[in-house]
Amino acid sequence: MTITQEPQAGTREVGRDRRRKEDQRLITGRTKWTNNIELPGMLHLSMVRSPFAHARITGIDTTEAKAAPGVMAVLTGEDLKDQQGSLPNAWPVTPEQKAPPHPAVAVDRVTFSGEIVAVVVARSAAAARDAAELVDVDYEELDAVIDLKVAAADEVLAHPDLGTNESALWVFDSAEAGTGDDVEAAIRDAEVLIEREFRQQRLIPSFMEPRSVVVDPTGEQFVMWSATQVPHILRLMLALTLGVAESKVRVIAPDVGGGFGGKLQVTPEEVITFLVARHTGKPCKWNETRSESLLAAHHGRDQWQKLTLAAKADGTVTGLKVQLIANMGAYLGLVTSGVPILGAFMFNAIYKFPSYRFECQNVFTNTTWTDAYRGAGRPEATFAIERMMDELATELGRDPLEVREQNWIKHEEFPFTTVAGLEYDSGNYEAATARAKELFKYDELRAEQARRRESGDRVQLGLGVSTFTEMCGLAPSRVLGSLAYGAGGWEHASVRMLPSGKVEVITGSSAHGQGHETAWSQIVADQLGVPFEDVEVLHGDTQISHKGLDTYGSRSLVVGGQAVIKAAQKVIEKAKPLAAHVLEANVADLEFADGKFTVRGAGADQEGLSLTGLALSVFAAHDLPDGMEASLDADATYDPVNFSYPHGTHLCAMEVDTETGETTMRSYVCVDDIGTVVNPLIVDGQIHGGLVQGIAQALWEEAVYDDQGTLITGSFVDYTLPTSADTISFVTDRTVTPSTTNDLGAKGVGEAGTIASTPAVVNAVLDALRPLGVTDIVMPCTPERVWNAIQGAAHQPVVEEAAPHFDESAPNQDTPETEGGTL
Amino acid sequence: MIPAPFDYAAPATVEEALTLLSEHGDEAKVMAGGQSLLPVLRMRLNAPELVVDISRIESLKGIDDTGDAIRIGAATTYQEVLDSDLVREHLGLLHKAVSEIADPQIRHRGTVCGALAHADPAGDVGAPVLALDATMEVQSRGVVGPRQVAAADFFVDLFETAVGDGELLTAVTIPKHTGWGSHYEKFVRVSHQWAIIGIAAAVRSEGGVIAEARVGMTNMGSKPLRAPGVEAALAGQPATEEAIGEICARAGEGTEPPSDLNGQADYRRHLAGVLTRRAVLAAAGG
Ligand SMILES: Cc1cc2nc3c(=O)[nH]c(=O)nc-3n(C[C@H](O)[C@H](O)[C@H](O)COP(=O)(O)OP(=O)(O)OC[C@H]3O[C@@H](n4cnc5c(N)ncnc54)[C@H](O)[C@@H]3O)c2cc1C
């Protein structure tokens, strides 16, 4: 198979819809990913996992397993406890943050179902799996706490030794921070007060390639291949956790099949594979099953949100108060504790709220730990505020877009410092909204909605609105420092000029499906005036890309791409003395364009000197100016000066079958402003995939535990992940308001679709049903929940529906209590 | 996912298969398309010593016209059923239901008889086969010719049928319903999902009036169900919503469907009423 492409007009690469360089090998599978790495004498690992959510381990009998065919070793927490250290949490959000030790293999107590209690090492994966069945573990069950609100009551403790389930309370208050007024005063003086509770259900990242690790201990260094988003962070954290010299560890992330935040982690399995390889002296491999992935790879979201919005009667919002309980699960993973805190800066979204308060209580439960999942903190915030803006519009009987516009930052008001203290550099919400309305045929759909309402159509139509902005491009190191994050937010790049005229670009931003190889090639082709095809992008191996902070938080292009530009600019600067020397001109008189140095004022017919030609001259080094280093290669480390703030307006039309509760998407339009676009095809891919993931939160996905803490949605039979067959053709468009914080003018796009789409869908479903008295439906809006909401509303007097939603039994508070589906 | 070790045999005749099954007792498992068996083995919910693959037995392959009925052999895949003109012409309901099963990969391996023998109440072929008054052929070792079991007696309970230990389901024979309109209404949240519920309806119409109707229900109990009261009441009614709405709304009455993540029993009963009306109207219309 080959990917062919028509030649396009124009010489600039940035902005072209280049087919992705990496797709041929990825689609045909002719590449290296962790699980197809085979090393001589390799051993295979299988994990024995706890079936209980909370239990004391009273004994482990490994005799039978050890005697099984092909088994080399069976190791328990007792065997590994002196070496395994504690898995890292890089984000102590408060100085008082409480966290239990986090062993890779549980030693005397298990704290969630799926926690590893032993590892079997055998000559084949099948032998390991067979023997894992023979490990006999005795448990004494302990009371488990599963639900986050129950956990907050602190009666049953996930970790009795901590004395509480509360990990940390994190507060931002605009009056205290000096970024705004006192929210309590705004609430007291409110003419309109809206109080709501929302549930952010638990989600499972569900990347395409399950996690996999190979460790080769033979040789001077330990080499770890891992299906990870973060090879650089992993290397450092392995060294710190295990007390191994960092220089003795090389981490390689070969082609990685997606992550969505789910592979932004230092996992027990990585640590265990490392320890077993060291113990046995043999290369070792662990490859997870999908069931293990759903059970024990970190989960996402899982918050309870309480919002209080104060407004004037004319619709001007005067204050917003946010109270969250965030479910950490049983442990703090790499950034578990920080994920909800990222939302703190985003609940005020695109709006000019004069007062704001955010409180987040992080709690432990006996469930799989949560951590980053596409959007991390920002989808939660956007959902809540966009639901609230719809509630405000409903309360006032006004159009939801009009109420939003009344409160948002106008394009002439940028740069704008928000009530959460961020400086938004640019944006044009009016333009994006106008374009979205036009593409959506907003007015026509409203007319159809009115007709259906009037005729009492069984299928009602709802229009859902969502606007969003997000802070992306993680992150200015100083900001991270002020939030007590354990690292910086810079990115590193190198540009190497090869003597043959080819260019190697090394990026510290570790792609796992995003298309860096293509986009970075386009950027460098423009910067250095070389053909796109002549640029090779290398990443994901700490020995090649020795420095980096990897890929997450929509950071790669705006931070990593900018580092590449800086490095390319240094290459040109380094070449100038040689160009001046050959052209017998002054450095100051040189111009560089389209890959060539020319002398200013020397006329249009001068040939000029190509940069690639100079690369050969430097390689030969026969005639360099005095004192010039024989290299044009350059490194750059770029620390962003600010976040970038993409924004957009998303409009969704949903049909709701009021007889069955079934929801069907009718149309979806999004107009995003992500600044300058490097590759529109890649951007569309990011938007489409992001939309589906966000829509899935609204309609389909939910990780459910039973009362005992057993994951009911333990396979894709019950964890209803959508496929392309479940989605419609999206209409995407863009407005372009360049970011002022990087040379490209780009803003992040990796999470945009996921952030904006969830509230657009839920708002649409509710908009269809409001005349029936429905005011809220807990996510995912399954047909049954929709139908129940309609039934519930039909049987309630209308006055009660406007009452505040703080009742324990409010419809958005329940967690399903039922058993899973069939096989 | 790696199953526990097992031996594998691919006999060439029904006789050989039955011999293997009787020799190994309940340590042996029949495999047709493997689309339910293999997931069970891979998840280690079952660990037989021997898997007897019947997919290479010539006499179990194919779809035949027996005059009044169509006979589908046990080694016939869903895809062969979908591609069959006989099925399309005479068993429209089965055709519609099979087209809603899983995805092409699974339909190219999975078999109608395998699904019937597996007897998952959420499986899509049980309800149409029951509604169309099929007969199952069950073969025991040492007995000449198969036992004929009516569909109504075939399904016993969750994952339990009239096929006994050591027996083989060799074919299903379904009376022709030539000229009947049919519809299978499968209710799912995502496209690749098992039926939350499914309604199989076949209707013979005469001048806009329902002459005869058959209604089968998927996942409305521990086995496929039929709605005989509804069927009887439909006969003689004009095929309009006004005429049949009330009748169909009773389809779920008295059933005990499961309660799970996709819906509580009462919601399923409600759906059965709505979807029966829709399925019958669609069947009568086409
Ligand atoms: C991802 C996925 C999605 C699916 N979705 C659906 C769906 O939407 N709807 C649906 O209806 N089904 C679905 N199925 C199940 C599918 O229809 C199976 O193929 C079918 O249930 C079994 O048929 P088989 O030939 O593969 O049987 P096997 O898997 O080979 O056998 C199933 C069971 O029946 C027994 N058996 C098989 N043949 C005989 C026989 N002749 N005599 C006695 N015993 C026998 C076996 O021992 C075994 O216990 C799905 C399966 C998968 C993997």
Side-chain angles (χ1 to χ4, degrees), chain A residues 579-663:
Chain A
H581 176 71
V582 177
L583 292 168
E584 297 177 350
N586 279 326
V587 165
D589 291 336
L590 291 181
E591 286 180 336
F592 182 76
D594 299 331
K596 281 184 179 164
F597 287 101
T598 50
V599 182
R600 193 173 297 117
D605 54 350
Q606 60 176 319
E607 262 191 35
L609 266 183
S610 76
L611 179 66
T612 51
L614 290 174
L616 183 60
S617 307
V618 168
F619 172 72
H622 296 162
D623 181 22
L624 301 182
D626 288 345
M628 183 183 170
E629 182 193 7
S631 167
L632 295 181
D633 302 349
D635 289 352
T637 302
Y638 173 70
D639 198 344
V641 291
N642 192 355
F643 296 97
S644 79
Y645 301 97
H647 68 82
T649 299
H650 290 221
L651 299 174
C652 171
M654 294 293 293
E655 292 181 349
V656 182
D657 184 333
T658 57
E659 258 192 321
T660 61
E662 190 176 20
T663 57

Side-chain angles (χ1 to χ4, degrees), chain A residues 1 44 66 102 205 243 250 263 342 369 385 410 525 543 754 774 787:
Chain A
M1 197 195 88
H44 298 261
K66 279 181 174 153
H102 190 174
R250 172 183 180 188
K263 290 173 182 166
L342 277 175
W369 83 81
I385 187 59
K410 304 295 176 300
Q543 210 160 74
T754 312
V774 175
W787 185 74

Side-chain angles (χ1 to χ4, degrees), chain A residues 717 823, chain B residues 21 28-40 46 51-54 60 73-78 97-98 100-103 106-107 109-126 137-139 154 159 161 163-164 166-171 184 186 188 191-195 218:
Chain A
V717 171
L823 191 97
Chain B
L21 288 176
K29 266 288 185 191
V30 176
M31 180 171 87
Q35 297 307 294
S36 289
L37 182 68
L38 290 183
V40 165
N46 201 332
V51 167
V52 180
D53 182 350
I54 59 166
L60 296 181
T76 310
T77 64
Y78 290 132
V98 170
E100 300 260 341
I101 292 172
D103 55 45
I106 288 160
R107 292 197 296 264
R109 289 202 176 271
T111 65
V112 170
C113 287
L116 294 173
H118 187 56
D120 187 323
D124 293 305
V125 290
E137 295 179 10
V138 180
Q139 181 73 52
F154 181 80
F159 304 114
T161 69
V163 181
E167 290 189 318
L168 266 189
L169 172 63
T170 49
Y184 186 65
K186 182 174 181 176
V188 288
S191 58
H192 55 90
Q193 207 182 2
W194 290 80
T218 302

Side-chain angles (χ1 to χ4, degrees), chain A residues 125-126 129-131 133 289-291 458 657-662 699-701 704 712-723 725-726 780 782-784 787-788 791 816-823, chain B residues 1-5 36 39-40 42-45 118 120-123 158-159 185-196 219 241 259-268 270-271 274-275 277-278:
Chain A
R129 181 68 186 81
D130 287 343
E133 305 261 297
T289 64
R290 181 61 72 180
S291 313
R458 246 178 220 151
D657 184 333
T658 57
E659 258 192 321
T660 61
E662 190 176 20
L699 298 178
W700 297 305
E701 293 183 34
V704 182
I712 297 175
T713 51
S715 83
F716 283 151
V717 171
D718 295 310
Y719 190 80
T720 39
L721 204 65
T723 65
D726 299 300
T782 64
E784 184 183 36
W787 185 74
N788 280 338
Q791 301 311 303
E817 291 154 3
T818 55
E819 300 290 310
T822 44
L823 191 97
Chain B
M1 290 202 289
I2 305 168
S36 289
V40 165
R42 284 165 164 269
M43 294 176 122
R44 298 198 174 217
L45 300 172
H118 187 56
D120 187 323
L158 201 72
F159 304 114
E185 186 80 28
K186 182 174 181 176
F187 196 79
V188 288
R189 291 178 52 214
V190 291
S191 58
H192 55 90
Q193 207 182 2
W194 290 80
I196 294 172
N219 215 16
E241 181 160 343
S259 286
D260 59 31
L261 287 178
N262 293 308
Q264 298 293 312
D266 61 349
Y267 175 60
R268 282 191 160 90
H270 162 76
L271 282 180
V274 174
L275 301 183
R277 186 193 75 226
R278 292 183 186 180

Side-chain angles (χ1 to χ4, degrees), chain B residues 59-109:
Chain B
S59 68
L60 296 181
K61 292 185 183 170
I63 300 170
D64 299 307
D65 189 337
T66 64
D68 292 341
I70 303 297
R71 183 176 180 280
I72 300 171
T76 310
T77 64
Y78 290 132
Q79 193 57 42
E80 286 160 349
V81 168
L82 284 179
D83 292 342
S84 159
D85 289 338
L86 286 175
V87 173
R88 206 189 311 261
E89 190 182 344
H90 304 295
L91 302 174
L93 182 57
L94 183 68
H95 195 270
K96 287 224 162 72
V98 170
S99 72
E100 300 260 341
I101 292 172
D103 55 45
Q105 269 177 305
I106 288 160
R107 292 197 296 264
H108 274 84
R109 289 202 176 271

